[in-house]
Amino acid sequence: MARWIQSFRRPPTVHAVGRTGMPTSGAGASSRLTALRTTVAAIGTTLDEETTWHELTGVAAGLVGGTAAILPDERESAYEAVSGDAAVLPDLARAATPPRTEAARGPDPAVCLPLVSGELHYGTLVCARNEGIFTPSEKDALALLAERAASHVRHAREHDRVSRIVGDLQRALLAEPGRPHPNLDVAIRYLPVGQRALVGGDWCETVRLHFGRTLLVVGDVMGHSLEAAVDMTAYRSALRYIASADLPPHRVLRQLDDIAAHEPDRRPATCLIARVDPNRGQVTVAGAGHLPPAVIDAHGETSLLPVPVGPPLGTGFGGYEPATYRLDASQTLMLFTDGLVEHRGEDIDESLDRLARLRFDAADGVEGILDSVLARLDARNAEDDVAVLAARLRDRPPQADEASGPAP
C-alpha cells in the first residue's frame, strides 16, 4: 500500500484553495485528484501506530479547517492524537455511538468515521469545527483518509507481531550458547538495530572441544526478517553438528559452505571461527567473508589479526584457509559482526581503524571490555545488528584441562 501511495507523489501544484485545502472547482477534477493523492501520501510514513494517528488527525484537521482526534475502541475515556482545539469536539458518549444515517444526524458540525481495515476496527476518527456543516465531498475525503490510516495501522501491528516472534526466537537462541571450557572467560552481547526493526541473522556460539579447547564463532546471515533468523538457526545447528567431529576451523567452514550451497533457499552468510587452545597458548582462525578478529593486549592496545580471505557461506566456492597466532592470558580476543564498526558511506578500512585506535584499561575483564567497546563505538545507534564476543584465557594448571572432553 505504501508503494502504491508513493507512486502518486508529485511536486506541489500551485492553485487556489478554500478552507478545505482542496482546489476550487475551477482547478478541475484532475487537480483535485492530484491534491488528494498528495494528502493521502502524508499518512503512514512510518510503521509506528501513534505516528500514523497523529499524521491522520493533522491532515484531517487541515483538510476541514477544524479539529480532528482519534477515539480508540479499547480506550473510550479520552480523545487521542488531538489536532486543533479540543473544545469543539463532541462529548465522548456521542462520538462513541455515532448515528447510523445522515438523516439521524441532521446538520451537524461534527463527523465521526470508523477506522476499519478488513474486519478489524481500531476506533473512530472524529472531526469538528465551530461553524458550517461538512459537505459530502469533505466526508468522502475524510473517509478515504480514515481507510488509508487504518490500513497502515493494520500493517504496523502485524509488523510488531512478527517482530516479537522473531525477537523471541533470537533471544531464546542467544540465551543458550554452548558452554566454553572453564579455562576460558567468555562474554557475549547482541544488539538489534533500532527499536522497531526486525531481528536479523547475527549470532555468536561457543563449542567445547577435547583437550581443553573451545571453538568461538560469530556469524551474520544476510537480511532482517523471520527468514534470516530461521537460516541463522540452520547455520548454527549445522555448526554444532560439524564441530562435534573436532575439525580445524577452515574445514568446519568448508562443510558449512557445502551444506548451504545445496539448499537453494538458504541465505548467504559470513562467518568467523576461532579455535582457542589454552594448553598450547594459541588460537587458529578462519573466515568466510567476515571481518577479522581483534586482540587487546596487556597494555590495553588493540590490533587486528589478519585472516585469509574466504567467500561467504552458501556460495559453494570453498577455499578457506587457517591462520594460527600466539594467545596468552594477558590478551583478550574479540570477534564481532560488521554492525559494530561499519558506517554507511565509509570505507571498511576506516571503520576497522577506528576500532584499532581504541585503548582499554588493562584491568578490565571481558564483560567490561564489551561494555566499553559498545559504548565508545555507539553500538546502540548502529546501522545494522551487532553481535560481539570477547574471550580471555584463565590461568589454570594444564593437567586440569587435559582430561576435559566436550560438554555432554
Side-chain angles (χ1 to χ4, degrees):
M1 182 61 69
R3 292 181 180 177
W4 181 85
I5 292 174
Q6 290 290 340
S7 69
F8 289 104
R9 284 188 183 272
R10 298 290 188 275
T13 303
V14 178
H15 49 246
V17 295
R19 183 175 64 179
T20 64
M22 297 295 290
T24 56
S25 58
S30 177
S31 296
R32 288 195 298 271
L33 180 59
T34 298
L36 184 57
R37 285 170 173 166
T38 302
T39 300
V40 169
I43 299 173
T45 60
T46 72
L47 282 172
D48 180 76
E49 180 175 340
E50 183 177 353
T51 298
T52 299
W53 290 144
H54 279 283
E55 291 172 343
L56 170 62
T57 57
V59 169
L63 185 69
V64 300
T67 299
I70 302 298
L71 185 60
D73 276 351
E74 62 271 21
R75 299 183 299 276
E76 294 183 352
S77 59
Y79 286 114
E80 296 184 6
V82 178
S83 181
D85 182 7
V88 305
L89 294 170
D91 63 83
L92 293 171
R94 184 166 150 225
T97 55
R100 292 183 178 274
T101 66
E102 290 301 316
R105 178 181 296 284
D108 195 341
V111 62
C112 302
L113 296 165
L115 297 165
V116 178
S117 178
E119 298 180 353
L120 301 177
H121 196 288
Y122 301 105
T124 304
L125 171 65
V126 182
C127 297
R129 59 192 179 203
N130 285 319
E131 59 182 23
I133 64 173
F134 288 89
T135 66
S137 63
E138 287 177 321
K139 293 178 182 179
D140 288 343
L142 290 172
L144 176 61
L145 298 182
E147 178 186 346
R148 292 293 182 261
S151 177
H152 282 294
V153 167
R154 179 177 184 176
H155 291 316
R157 291 191 179 184
E158 179 64 16
H159 176 275
D160 286 345
R161 185 186 71 83
V162 175
S163 182
R164 285 193 297 272
I165 293 173
V166 176
D168 290 344
L169 171 63
Q170 187 88 8
R171 283 187 291 273
L173 290 166
L174 292 171
E176 300 178 0
R179 291 185 299 132
H181 278 284
N183 56 19
L184 200 63
D185 285 327
V186 174
I188 294 174
R189 297 285 190 278
Y190 174 78
L191 298 177
V193 58
Q195 294 187 353
R196 304 186 66 83
L198 287 173
V199 178
D202 291 27
W203 54 283
C204 297
E205 182 61 278
T206 66
V207 181
R208 294 179 69 168
L209 303 175
H210 292 284
F211 308 114
R213 296 170 301 165
T214 297
L215 209 63
L216 307 176
V217 188
V218 169
D220 185 356
V221 179
M222 181 184 68
H224 294 82
S225 64
L226 179 59
E227 290 80 7
V230 169
D231 283 344
M232 179 271 293
T233 65
Y235 278 112
R236 194 169 184 177
S237 297
L239 168 83
R240 290 173 174 172
Y241 173 75
I242 297 168
S244 64
D246 207 355
L247 299 172
H250 67 290
R251 292 186 59 189
V252 173
L253 290 177
R254 188 183 305 164
Q255 292 203 23
L256 283 173
D257 177 57
D258 186 61
I259 291 173
H262 285 83
E263 296 181 12
D265 294 332
R266 180 83 66 89
R267 294 172 179 237
T270 66
C271 187
L272 179 67
I273 299 180
R275 185 176 68 183
V276 179
D277 189 339
N279 297 326
R280 295 183 178 179
Q282 65 183 29
V283 56
T284 299
V285 294
H290 205 88
L291 297 180
V295 170
I296 302 161
D297 65 20
H299 305 290
E301 304 281 333
T302 305
S303 60
L304 299 173
L305 293 182
V307 178
V309 177
L313 300 177
T315 62
F317 295 143
Y320 307 107
E321 298 179 16
T324 300
Y325 299 94
R326 300 297 303 172
L327 187 70
D328 60 47
S330 69
Q331 298 172 303
T332 300
L333 181 68
M334 186 166 65
L335 287 65
F336 52 91
T337 57
D338 53 14
L340 179 67
V341 296
E342 281 189 338
H343 288 179
R344 188 174 291 110
E346 179 182 72
D347 186 85
I348 187 59
D349 290 333
E350 295 180 28
S351 304
L352 291 173
D353 286 343
R354 186 185 308 108
L355 172 62
R357 289 193 297 268
L358 295 182
R359 301 295 181 266
F360 297 88
D361 187 335
D364 284 345
V366 290
E367 298 285 351
I369 284 178
L370 286 193
D371 289 340
S372 178
V373 75
L374 291 175
R376 294 163 69 183
L377 294 180
D378 195 22
R380 296 192 180 279
N381 295 311
E383 300 168 358
D384 197 358
D385 295 340
V386 175
V388 57
L389 178 155
R392 180 184 295 171
L393 301 181
R394 287 181 181 174
D395 287 319
R396 291 174 57 86
Q399 61 271 22
D401 295 319
E402 289 292 341
S404 298

